[in-house]
Amino acid sequence: MAQTEKARPLCLVTGASGYVGGRLVPELLRAGYAVRCLVRTPRKLRDQPWAEQVETAQGDVTERGDVERALEGVDVAYYLVHALGSGSDFEETDRRAARAFGEAARLAGVGRIVYLGGLTPAGVPESVLSPHLRSRAEVGRRLLRSGVPTAVLRAAVVIGSGSASFEMLRYLTERLPVMVTPNWVGVRVQPIAVRDVLRYLVGCALLPPDVSRAFDVGGPDILTYREMMQGYAEVARLPRRVIVPVPVLTPKLSSYWVGLVTPVPASIAKPLTESLRHPVVCEEHDIARYVPDPPGGRIGFVHSVELALRRVREADVATRWSSASTPGAPSDPLPSDPGWSGGSLYTDRRARRTSASSAALWQVIEGVGGENGWYSFPLAWSVRGFLDRLVGGVGLRRGRRDPERLRVGDSLDFWRVEEVDAGRLLRLRAEMRVPGLAWLELRVAQDRSGQTVYAQQAVFHPHGLAGHAYWWAVWPFHGAVFGGMARNIVDAAERADHRRR
């Protein structure tokens, strides 16, 4: 780190590859802080526009040694991680990680911890709260007991382009002009714009040392979820929605309903819907004593939706709810050694020469997925995505963060971008529910004569007998799916090249 940077206060950001963390980092840099990011997979940050301005520490918050090394010399530590979706014991994992993080921060002499938690309903016993909210509250308490001055920001529904709450609201409203809904659509909520969340997070770095407490943070509006849907419809210039609440949809059934209608899978929709069983309204606005409201006031719900929709329409979404790894998704790198010792590997390889230029071919490759689809057998891809959502997977609806450009760590329908070598290679790792690990590689190459070659490889590492059975069950469809994909990608590149000429 340069000498001039050493004089700058150093902030550690955990969860920098996630939705809020990925947006907080550039805000801290703009505010003049030096930033260190603690991430399990550093390459996920490689293509971020701010990647070269930060220090990266590889590690996991559940590993004490990793945390201790990451906290060396840190002035302010942002705790933006949770273990939701990691298993039935995620509450205990969260509890242990928070306790260890707080202890390590105290021993390292960290001046402040800042944690973004969830707003819990007033007067409701913690025992009846959703596991998600209960765990968030417990993490906040653990950090407050650490002996390090701590600010716990408690927020309800965060509205911003790409947030899970916004995507759920957006797709429910846009896709269902008439809907039968759970009773929680009548529960009062105090949403907050992601810009205000970031403003509070950055501002908390300057809190006086004697301030160690929780703060409720929210926007200026208190609305029911029904009013939020109607408000979204008005901003998006949609007809007023017909909303009929019924008492029979439990939070679990609601999560599957949300999972089928929106891009948010049931595993993420469940904690969101469970959190709406009780009113979540701020009891105080004490944060304004230390981080004053801007001259124009906090961002209201309507304006926050306008800002989010503008970002979506301009394809300028910095991070999305799917920026963070999907809970339970595989993380193993592609086994490139032909003699890989990890067990059986099944591969499907395709290659086609083309008259298209390498640039034209790469443009098509980098544009796969989302609105452009997968260039083969659309019904098969749609059915596979639907089946994935039925079993709680992410399905195809996550789409793309950007319609033209991909970066490492991006979600792409039910894939995750594992590697991008511009002009040469796109490697995707599957995050759909399969009995094994799966990757898809798309390459631009040249033969000895200099002609452009499209090379495609699907790799599957089966887990157990079910994995082998799965491969052979779908193998008959590979010709139509993977063969058609190779053929149609090449055809699209040749057409694009012809138009340019």
Side-chain angles (χ1 to χ4, degrees):
M1 192 176 290
Q3 182 65 36
T4 55
E5 291 182 334
K6 287 184 179 179
R8 299 158 62 197
L10 175 61
C11 296
L12 175 72
V13 177
T14 64
S17 61
Y19 177 73
V20 173
R23 297 189 179 208
L24 175 62
V25 170
E27 294 298 322
L28 290 171
L29 290 171
R30 276 191 283 270
Y33 294 97
V35 177
R36 178 185 297 157
C37 300
L38 174 61
V39 287
R40 285 177 294 182
T41 311
R43 72 172 182 273
K44 284 188 177 181
L45 304 184
R46 189 192 68 191
D47 296 331
Q48 291 283 2
W50 40 261
E52 294 186 359
Q53 302 175 59
V54 304
E55 179 186 346
T56 303
Q58 182 173 8
D60 193 309
V61 292
T62 62
E63 296 294 331
R64 180 66 178 260
D66 293 345
V67 172
E68 289 175 346
R69 285 189 292 272
L71 286 169
E72 290 179 6
V74 166
D75 298 290
V76 181
Y78 286 90
Y79 196 80
L80 304 175
V81 294
H82 59 79
L84 181 68
S86 62
S88 57
D89 61 344
F90 81 90
E91 290 183 81
E92 176 57 27
T93 301
D94 269 340
R95 192 177 298 118
R96 284 189 289 102
R99 182 173 60 245
F101 189 89
E103 290 173 356
R106 177 173 52 80
L107 292 173
V110 172
R112 173 161 299 280
I113 296 173
V114 183
Y115 169 60
L116 178 61
L119 184 60
T120 53
V124 177
E126 236 177 65
S127 59
V128 302
L129 294 179
S130 69
H132 165 65
L133 274 183
R134 192 166 58 235
S135 182
R136 290 292 183 95
E138 175 67 12
V139 167
R141 283 197 299 274
R142 292 278 177 177
L143 295 174
L144 284 167
R145 295 172 190 159
S146 66
V148 178
T150 298
V152 174
L153 301 181
R154 309 193 317 156
V157 174
V158 177
I159 301 296
S161 59
S163 76
S165 297
F166 176 72
E167 293 289 280
M168 190 171 95
L169 173 70
R170 173 189 172 200
Y171 280 91
L172 284 176
T173 309
E174 289 186 352
R175 292 181 172 172
L176 297 175
V178 179
M179 63 186 100
V180 176
T181 62
N183 275 340
W184 50 253
V185 298
V187 172
R188 294 163 69 241
V189 181
Q190 190 163 353
I192 182 170
V194 69
R195 295 191 185 194
D196 278 335
V197 171
L198 296 172
R199 182 172 57 82
Y200 288 135
L201 286 170
V202 174
C204 280
L206 296 176
L207 288 177
D210 61 343
V211 175
S212 187
R213 54 163 292 186
F215 294 96
D216 292 354
V217 293
D221 303 313
I222 299 173
L223 307 162
T224 65
Y225 205 86
R226 180 192 294 108
E227 290 170 333
M228 290 168 62
M229 286 192 284
Q230 298 292 14
Y232 177 92
E234 185 174 347
V235 172
R237 298 183 180 179
L238 299 171
R240 186 172 178 80
R241 276 22 202 165
V242 177
I243 301 171
V244 183
V246 294
V248 295
L249 287 179
T250 65
K252 186 172 183 179
L253 288 175
S254 295
S255 67
Y256 286 116
W257 171 66
V258 171
L260 288 173
V261 176
T262 81
V264 181
S267 59
I268 294 176
K270 189 170 186 286
L272 291 178
T273 55
E274 284 182 331
S275 300
L276 294 170
R277 286 185 297 176
H278 307 284
V280 275
V281 176
C282 296
E283 293 293 304
E284 41 84 9
H285 186 47
D286 295 349
I287 189 69
R289 299 179 194 167
Y290 308 100
V291 186
D293 290 345
R298 291 167 289 165
I299 299 172
F301 172 75
V302 169
H303 188 38
S304 68
V305 171
E306 291 172 342
L307 291 170
L309 277 178
R310 186 185 309 159
R311 291 283 192 183
V312 170
R313 289 165 179 165
E314 293 175 355
D316 188 22
V317 180
T319 60
R320 302 176 69 217
W321 61 270
S322 53
S323 297
S325 297
T326 299
S331 58
D332 301 44
L334 176 67
S336 56
D337 184 351
W340 185 54
S341 60
S344 302
L345 280 181
Y346 291 114
T347 59
D348 182 290
R349 295 186 177 94
R350 313 270 170 169
R352 295 180 70 90
R353 290 180 174 82
T354 174
S355 60
S357 66
S358 296
L361 179 57
W362 175 252
Q363 185 175 20
V364 175
I365 289 174
E366 196 174 15
V368 297
E371 295 296 323
N372 292 330
W374 293 90
Y375 290 91
S376 71
F377 207 170
L379 179 61
W381 287 94
S382 297
V383 169
R384 184 64 185 85
F386 177 73
L387 293 175
D388 193 52
R389 295 188 75 81
L390 281 182
V391 295
V394 296
L396 282 175
R397 294 200 186 112
R398 291 193 301 183
R400 299 173 54 108
R401 178 191 56 82
D402 184 290
E404 296 179 352
R405 298 287 177 262
L406 293 173
R407 64 190 185 201
V408 170
D410 273 358
S411 60
L412 180 58
D413 293 331
F414 49 42
W415 304 92
R416 176 79 56 181
V417 179
E418 187 172 87
E419 184 58 84
V420 180
D421 185 356
R424 297 178 58 192
L425 167 69
L426 172 63
R427 180 185 300 138
L428 308 174
R429 187 184 71 247
E431 290 190 336
M432 77 280 276
R433 298 292 179 90
V434 290
L437 306 174
W439 296 265
L440 179 63
E441 280 192 342
L442 313 180
R443 291 179 179 269
V444 178
Q446 287 188 328
D447 62 16
R448 292 181 179 180
S449 67
Q451 186 174 6
T452 302
V453 176
Y454 170 71
Q456 176 183 297
Q457 177 180 227
V459 178
F460 183 64
H461 170 44
H463 284 173
L465 183 60
H468 292 277
Y470 172 81
W471 174 265
W472 290 112
V474 299
W475 179 79
F477 301 99
H478 284 184
V481 175
F482 291 131
M485 185 177 181
R487 181 174 59 254
N488 293 331
I489 283 179
V490 166
D491 289 347
E494 290 176 351
R495 289 194 300 272
D497 220 19
H498 179 73
R499 285 194 297 269
R500 287 176 182 172
R501 294 171 184 171

